[in-house]
Amino acid sequence: MNAVILAVAVMLALSLLRVNVVLALFVGALAGGMIGGLDIFQTLEAFSRGLGGGVGIAISYAMLGAFAVAIARSGIPEWMAGKIIRKVKSSSNSHNNVKLKYSLFLALVLMAFASQNLIPIHIAFIPILIPPLLSVFSAMAIDRRQVVCLLTFGLTATYMIFPVGFGSVYLNQILGGNLQENGLDIELSQMPLAMAIPVLGMFMGLLLAVFFSYRKSRTYRVEETILIHEQDVQLSKPAIITSVIAIVLVLVSQLITGSMVLAAALGFITMVIGGVVCWREADEVFNEGLRMMAAFGFIMISAAGFAEVLRSTGDIPELVSQVQMFVGGSQALAAILMLLVGLLITMGIGSSFSTVPIIATLYVPLGMELGFTPLAIACLVGVAGALGDAGSPVSESTIGPTAGLNVDGQHDHIRDSVIPTFLHFNIPMIIFGWIAAMIL
């Protein structure tokens, strides 16, 4: 059996059995390494070597967590949540409640969009903003799986279509850069066009999740620890000004330097200098951000080790070569198998950003040999890399929403985050990605 298939299957099976994701990744890596021809010592060495690849991401998340906590100290998230709660309690008209519900859904998507492109703090906003809103969701009997799909769509679709912030990194640097490095003659400006049809598929899946699959009411108990006080939270003008300046600095510095660590550090320092975070409490606030994002960091570090084991077995190129032998000269069959292999790899690695460099070296020559157009090849590589990001147990696009929605222990990561996003985003992306590859 191919080591990639076995490792991902073991990891997913253990995750479905509610084994901790970090442990599932480790056991899956051991299984994949052993079946892939590595002995136990080589597997452990590869896993340990790969851990270093996730440290940079973990540090970025820690800094972003500290910045997000500093933003929370301004009172803005609590003020927003309080306004929404009072609006819900004051409305006795069911029509108004429906209108408020979908206004809230739109706001969640827009906030997720902004976290990727305008204010690049990624998933760090979720553990700050979502917990205060849980009482709102409970009062309105909102199925939290709707919220997961909204957040994951905002986190994923944005970087796939808009070349700003994280979108610039994915579309221009990672996708376009790797395509050109592997000999494909294509302009970076064409990347959004290549991804437009698959993103449309994601949007159709979102509509299905919100208006059909999870539209029915769902009852949750209301935890006193997450209730928001009904009185107005007073926002000071200096706190608002400082927060806006900090956000602008984070955006500008990230765009100029490409460093999320530096950007988040500048934002945090600005909040301290502006008095939003008292300098005597700066260490406490920073540590709170570290604790908030620690789980994300450990999962991403473990995922990097898992990915390195898969690469060390050499079975990823073998898997792709088997696809090439199987399809013969059929473009239609090749496209669907290339997408499914990409799904399998990304489900294991958990990051489209890490998957594209792996598959681009294999898919570009294969696509050119089969006669795909450059735009179709860009679509296949981009979608194959992004597949699984929205439905992987180790993806930040599912981990982030779970972190915010499970603070009261009523939201299961696999059943309420991973499975819903897999069904409503990955499957439509495969269908629409295949269609795009055939017509582009």
Side-chain angles (χ1 to χ4, degrees):
M1 177 178 286
N2 186 278
V4 177
I5 296 175
L6 178 66
V8 173
V10 169
M11 184 271 293
L12 292 176
L14 291 176
S15 297
L16 287 171
L17 293 173
R18 302 197 181 200
V19 174
N20 183 273
V21 174
V22 174
L23 181 58
L25 282 166
F26 180 69
V27 175
L30 290 179
M34 299 296 285
I35 199 70
L38 305 178
D39 60 33
I40 184 66
F41 299 106
Q42 291 173 323
T43 302
L44 292 174
E45 193 277 331
F47 188 83
S48 299
R49 183 174 64 249
L51 296 180
V55 171
I57 298 176
I59 293 176
S60 297
Y61 282 4
M63 293 297 297
L64 290 172
F67 177 59
V69 172
I71 290 289
R73 288 297 180 99
S74 70
I76 295 175
E78 188 178 8
W79 175 82
M80 293 173 59
K83 288 288 186 183
I84 295 172
I85 290 173
R86 285 185 291 277
K87 184 71 174 177
V88 172
K89 290 184 176 181
S90 64
S91 177
S92 57
N93 188 308
S94 59
H95 175 73
N96 289 338
N97 277 337
V98 171
K99 183 178 178 181
L100 178 62
K101 174 183 176 178
Y102 291 110
S103 296
L104 177 58
F105 284 177
L106 178 61
L108 290 174
V109 172
L110 292 177
M111 283 185 282
F113 280 175
S115 73
Q116 298 295 103
N117 298 97
L118 299 179
I119 311 169
I121 60 173
H122 199 27
I123 58 174
F125 80 97
I126 295 176
I128 295 298
L129 186 64
I130 297 302
L133 292 174
L134 292 184
S135 58
V136 177
F137 301 152
S138 298
M140 301 178 72
I142 292 174
D143 191 328
R144 295 183 188 179
R145 290 173 294 184
Q146 286 182 311
V147 179
V148 166
C149 291
L150 290 161
L151 291 173
T152 301
F153 176 80
L155 292 169
T156 307
T158 313
Y159 74 72
M160 291 174 61
I161 196 69
F162 297 115
V164 180
F166 286 104
S168 176
V169 175
Y170 183 73
L171 291 173
N172 296 333
Q173 299 178 26
I174 295 179
L175 178 57
N178 278 278
L179 290 174
Q180 292 177 344
E181 286 178 11
N182 287 281
L184 188 67
D185 184 16
I186 191 169
E187 296 294 329
L188 296 181
S189 60
Q190 293 184 287
M191 295 302 104
L193 179 60
M195 303 299 289
I197 296 177
V199 171
L200 175 62
M202 287 192 70
F203 181 69
M204 299 298 290
L206 177 67
L207 295 180
L208 181 65
V210 172
F211 295 106
F212 181 76
S213 301
Y214 310 123
R215 72 184 187 281
K216 294 182 179 179
S217 300
R218 193 175 185 184
T219 303
Y220 298 88
R221 68 178 185 274
V222 179
E223 298 287 339
E224 293 295 329
T225 55
I226 62 172
L227 289 176
I228 299 294
H229 297 297
E230 293 192 22
Q231 61 267 27
D232 284 326
V233 176
Q234 299 299 321
L235 296 178
S236 68
K237 189 174 181 180
I240 295 175
I241 294 174
T242 300
S243 299
V244 171
I245 293 174
I247 290 170
V248 171
L249 278 176
V250 168
L251 174 61
V252 172
S253 60
Q254 195 271 334
L255 291 175
I256 293 175
T257 66
S259 172
M260 288 188 292
V261 176
L262 176 61
L266 287 174
F268 184 80
I269 292 171
T270 301
M271 299 295 277
V272 174
I273 295 175
V276 175
V277 176
C278 177
W279 70 269
R280 294 186 182 88
E281 300 175 353
D283 185 57
E284 177 187 343
V285 172
F286 195 88
N287 288 334
E288 185 179 343
L290 292 179
R291 288 192 296 270
M292 181 183 73
M293 303 298 284
F296 305 154
F298 278 115
I299 291 173
M300 296 310 296
I301 289 173
S302 301
F306 181 89
E308 182 61 29
V309 171
L310 296 188
R311 283 190 285 264
S312 297
T313 64
D315 278 16
I316 294 178
E318 181 181 336
L319 183 60
V320 176
S321 66
Q322 289 172 351
V323 171
Q324 182 177 2
M325 292 174 57
F326 182 77
V327 301
S330 171
Q331 284 190 343
L333 185 57
I336 191 67
L337 288 179
M338 290 164 75
L339 292 173
L340 291 175
V341 170
L343 169 65
L344 184 67
I345 295 172
T346 313
M347 285 288 288
I349 295 177
S351 170
S352 54
F353 287 60
S354 300
T355 303
V356 167
I358 298 173
I359 64 176
T361 58
L362 308 165
Y363 279 20
V364 171
L366 175 59
M368 294 172 67
E369 183 177 333
L370 291 171
F372 284 104
T373 65
L375 207 57
I377 294 174
C379 173
L380 286 170
V381 175
V383 175
L387 272 171
D389 196 14
S392 171
V394 296
S395 169
E396 58 265 43
S397 299
T398 56
I399 294 170
T402 296
L405 292 165
N406 194 42
V407 295
D408 57 0
Q410 299 184 77
H411 185 87
D412 183 77
H413 180 55
I414 299 298
R415 290 168 175 79
D416 294 330
S417 287
V418 173
I419 294 177
T421 53
F422 181 91
L423 293 175
H424 292 88
F425 296 139
N426 288 349
I427 293 177
M429 279 182 68
I430 291 174
I431 297 171
F432 280 72
W434 181 85
I435 293 172
M438 293 295 98
I439 65 176
L440 289 177

